[in-house]
Amino acid sequence: ELYLAHNGIDDDGAMLETGLQLQFKNLTTLDLSKNRLTSCKPFAHLESLNELWLSENKIAAFEDVQPLSRLGMRDGAELTEVYMEHNPIYKDFEYRKKLKEIIPSLIQIDANIIGATGYGSVDVNSMSSERVMEQMKLVQDKIVARAQAEAEKGAAVVEEDPPKNDEMK
């Protein structure tokens, strides 16, 4: 997890080779809220992202979100949550629908779990109890899969680095 909110980061700063262009192979959460970003291009290479927080930046067009499409269309896509409220694109009437079209793997946009179609929030009051359970199961399965993947990564690290005799004392 990397939290860089409130740092005045702009696209040029995010594109520096010593910054977000580094290969963060295990980065699952990136918070760049309240900065000066106008595009998602600087972090489109971060394939292990589950959550991307970009609230209160200056992203004005859906074309500026398009670089994230590769994170949501490939097999094994992990990007499931984005937070982009209070950007200029947030004012678009079809904001959630367009984000879901660009990033198909999304199940949550701005703290709202989206329906299977991705077109709007899940309104549990208008759904049958079976449909509510179906939506909850979908979210639960994603969370369990993410936890298992993280546990497997942790186990691999432990296996790779067995303690030395001096460390066991």
Side-chain angles (χ1 to χ4, degrees):
E1 299 177 354
L2 183 58
Y3 298 96
L4 297 170
H6 299 275
N7 278 293
I9 299 169
D10 61 11
D11 292 2
D12 292 335
M15 294 293 287
L16 292 174
E17 290 181 19
T18 57
L20 289 173
Q21 291 305 299
L22 293 171
Q23 295 300 315
F24 294 100
K25 294 184 182 201
N26 296 319
L27 184 62
T28 59
T29 301
L30 178 59
D31 182 358
L32 286 163
S33 300
K34 298 181 180 180
N35 280 290
R36 293 182 283 175
L37 297 164
T38 61
S39 170
C40 295
K41 186 178 178 185
F43 23 87
H45 68 285
L46 300 173
E47 294 185 356
S48 60
L49 280 182
N50 299 127
E51 299 178 29
L52 180 58
W53 299 19
L54 296 172
S55 303
E56 297 185 46
N57 276 283
K58 298 178 181 183
I59 300 170
F62 289 96
E63 293 79 32
D64 299 324
V65 178
Q66 195 64 39
L68 295 178
S69 65
R70 63 181 296 275
L71 299 180
M73 292 182 170
R74 68 194 195 298
D75 287 337
E78 296 185 34
L79 185 59
T80 57
E81 300 175 32
V82 295
Y83 296 82
M84 291 194 186
E85 65 267 0
H86 308 295
N87 277 282
I89 62 169
Y90 183 70
K91 295 175 185 175
D92 187 290
F93 179 74
E94 294 186 320
Y95 163 75
R96 287 189 181 95
K97 176 183 174 185
K98 291 177 180 179
L99 284 179
K100 177 67 174 177
E101 288 172 354
I102 294 169
I103 312 164
S105 59
L106 293 178
I107 59 171
Q108 183 172 319
I109 299 173
D110 301 330
N112 293 303
I113 297 172
I114 57 176
T117 61
Y119 305 127
S121 300
V122 175
D123 180 6
V124 295
N125 294 323
S126 68
M127 298 169 62
S128 69
S129 60
E130 292 85 16
R131 184 77 176 121
V132 171
M133 292 302 291
E134 189 178 298
Q135 288 291 322
M136 291 174 69
K137 177 81 170 112
L138 176 68
V139 172
Q140 181 183 21
D141 290 346
K142 288 278 190 180
I143 292 168
V144 168
R146 183 184 309 164
Q148 287 173 336
E150 288 180 19
E152 288 172 7
K153 287 178 186 175
V157 170
V158 170
E159 289 174 11
E160 291 173 9
D161 297 326
K164 297 177 181 130
N165 288 337
D166 292 344
E167 293 175 358
M168 297 172 94
K169 294 180 183 178

